Amino acid sequence: MEISINQQRTEIPERFSVEQLLSFLFTDSKKGIAIAINQAIIPKTEWQVRILHPEDKITLIKATQGG
């Protein structure tokens, strides 16, 4: 199925949860990540149960450190 992540079309398997998507995208830590789906912020407590749907528009922000 196709979704949009930060305005880029991305193909993912059907019935992917937010948690599965983040594990797919980030092999390292998931700390410092904020995610919104269709302009609604998804709290971390819902990542495992929130299933993605075709055409969802995801905004993904990952905090970085450095200077």
Side-chain angles (χ1 to χ4, degrees):
M1 106 178 136
E2 194 170 273
I3 60 172
S4 173
I5 302 173
N6 295 345
Q7 300 179 345
Q8 284 195 310
R9 305 301 287 173
T10 304
E11 191 73 29
I12 62 169
E14 297 284 330
R15 305 269 320 144
F16 234 34
S17 70
V18 170
E19 181 74 32
Q20 289 171 307
L21 175 67
L22 295 175
S23 293
F24 175 74
L25 295 173
F26 303 105
T27 55
D28 57 347
S29 173
K30 292 182 208 88
K31 290 184 179 182
I33 293 177
I35 190 163
I37 300 174
N38 303 322
Q39 299 182 343
I41 295 171
I42 307 300
K44 191 171 187 172
T45 56
E46 294 181 20
W47 288 3
Q48 287 186 326
V49 295
R50 176 54 163 91
I51 301 299
L52 300 170
H53 298 82
E55 303 303 319
D56 274 345
K57 290 176 180 50
I58 298 168
T59 302
L60 186 62
I61 300 169
K62 182 164 173 54
T64 58
Q65 63 184 68

